[in-house]
Amino acid sequence: MNLTEYFARIGYKEPSHKADLKTLTELHEHHIRSIPFENLSIHCGEKITLDLETIYNKLVRNKRGGWCCENNLLFSWVLKEMGYDITRLGSRVYDNLKDDYNPQESHLIAKVMIDGKPYIADVSFGVSSQIWQPLELISGKDQPQLPGVFRLDEDKGVWNLQKTGRRSDVPNESFGVSSLLANSLFKKVYSFTLVPRQIKDFTETCTFFQTSPESLFTNKSVCSLQAATGFRALIGWTYCEVTYNYQEGVDLIDVSTVPDEEVEKVLEEKFGVVLENKLVSVNNKIHH
């Protein structure tokens, strides 16, 4: 495991070794555009582990992606190696179907201190709620980024991340009600406290997500990667390319269906992912 190999993986060609905000922002942006958010191991018969060296080999050397615990564990290791003051945190993801935050802290994020100021780094939420740059940990401040306006609000020690997006233009009318598309411009993303967490705190969640029939990740094969002007995602056989703000206040969403025999070709060409084992795509509806 070494930083030079990681920098090459994310295309960071002139790395700065200063532990400052500029470098953190550059690392954050390069990571989300190079290493996908994906759960394909579940649907290839592979076990997902929280062992850092295994994650490093998978994401860096084998050029795969991973879900939040894999991506954010790797990213926090990079930041520590570079001398950043970081604290791992756990967050509760908002469930639109339940209209509430999930009870378990299933999503790993990081608090990064720079010159006495705290920031939130998260390189692995995926799709439309992915932050592109670190967020200032300050309550009530709108923080505009290309994906939309992010905002953190704090109440009695609990922080809530929200996003306000734009309206969507979907040329393929048959996908106008797709679950990929946001039903509202305003979206709650996740909730967290500043209580430090250890990676072992996510062991049960990691097992649940890859084994439970009630898990989103056992019901959907997902691969998502941020791009210069938006993001692309493959969920089951549904492929989506989003261009943010292609017209003022409007996101362009191009959605299509990929034949099963072309799924692995799309993964390689659009996400840079080459699988060792056979993928069984899945996109089941989730009911609670």
Side-chain angles (χ1 to χ4, degrees):
M1 294 171 53
N2 66 79
L3 291 177
T4 300
E5 202 170 22
Y6 169 78
F7 292 152
R9 171 71 174 98
I10 65 170
Y12 194 30
K13 296 182 179 177
E14 296 182 2
S16 165
H17 289 272
K18 293 181 180 180
D20 56 15
L21 180 59
K22 179 178 180 291
T23 300
L24 175 62
T25 302
E26 291 173 349
L27 287 169
H28 204 284
E29 292 177 336
H30 277 75
H31 188 115
I32 63 172
R33 293 175 188 167
S34 302
I35 303 182
F37 171 86
E38 54 108 327
N39 70 338
L40 303 179
S41 289
I42 296 173
H43 306 285
C44 293
E46 303 163 359
K47 184 178 179 180
I48 296 175
T49 175
L50 298 180
D51 176 71
L52 178 58
E53 189 166 351
T54 300
I55 292 170
Y56 179 92
N57 287 332
K58 176 184 176 183
L59 274 60
V60 177
R61 290 179 175 155
N62 295 335
K63 294 182 170 54
R64 284 282 304 277
W67 60 17
C68 73
C69 284
E70 295 173 289
N71 268 300
N72 280 325
L73 181 57
L74 173 66
F75 195 64
S76 64
W77 169 79
V78 170
L79 297 184
K80 278 191 172 184
E81 287 290 298
M82 295 185 67
Y84 284 95
D85 176 5
I86 77 148
T87 303
R88 295 188 183 109
L89 307 175
S91 63
R92 299 162 54 222
V93 176
Y94 189 78
D95 187 328
N96 290 303
L97 295 176
K98 294 180 179 178
D99 192 25
D100 198 3
Y101 295 98
N102 286 324
Q104 73 272 22
E105 292 184 344
S106 60
H107 183 64
L108 174 66
I109 60 177
K111 182 184 75 172
V112 187
M113 296 295 299
I114 300 175
D115 296 330
K117 294 182 179 180
Y119 297 85
I120 293 297
D122 179 3
V123 295
S124 195
F125 198 85
V127 293
S128 63
S129 294
Q130 175 64 56
I131 62 173
W132 279 20
Q133 295 95 29
L135 296 174
E136 290 184 69
L137 187 61
I138 183 171
S139 182
K141 179 181 179 180
D142 287 344
Q143 303 189 50
Q145 300 184 4
L146 186 57
V149 179
F150 293 95
R151 179 186 176 103
L152 288 163
D153 286 317
E154 184 267 343
D155 182 29
K156 298 178 181 178
V158 177
W159 293 80
N160 297 303
L161 174 62
Q162 307 159 355
K163 179 197 170 188
T164 302
R166 309 175 189 88
R167 68 180 182 88
S168 302
D169 180 6
V170 188
N172 190 337
E173 295 180 358
S174 64
F175 288 94
V177 293
S178 171
S179 61
L180 276 169
L181 310 181
N183 296 320
S184 171
L185 299 185
F186 175 80
K187 182 178 183 181
K188 297 178 181 178
V189 184
Y190 51 70
S191 173
F192 61 94
T193 71
L194 302 184
V195 177
R197 299 300 182 203
Q198 303 296 323
I199 195 61
K200 65 181 181 181
D201 295 327
F202 297 89
T203 302
E204 289 186 12
T205 297
C206 183
T207 301
F208 171 83
F209 276 157
Q210 59 188 309
T211 59
S212 172
E214 297 182 0
S215 164
L216 171 68
F217 294 118
T218 59
N219 282 280
K220 294 181 182 292
S221 51
V222 178
C223 189
S224 165
L225 186 66
Q226 305 298 305
T229 58
F231 72 90
R232 57 184 72 104
L234 179 65
I235 301 180
W237 302 268
T238 303
Y239 179 70
C240 174
E241 286 194 0
V242 174
T243 303
Y244 287 131
N245 211 31
Y246 93 111
Q247 293 179 356
E248 185 64 32
V250 182
D251 294 339
L252 176 64
I253 303 181
D254 188 8
V255 191
S256 60
T257 299
V258 178
D260 193 59
E261 63 272 15
E262 295 182 16
V263 165
E264 293 192 9
K265 178 183 178 183
V266 169
L267 286 172
E268 181 175 3
E269 292 182 352
K270 298 294 186 178
F271 303 92
V273 170
V274 177
L275 301 172
E276 292 182 4
N277 298 309
K278 176 64 179 175
L279 172 68
V280 179
S281 298
V282 61
N283 190 9
N284 297 327
K285 289 186 177 180
I286 305 295
H287 300 284
H288 292 284

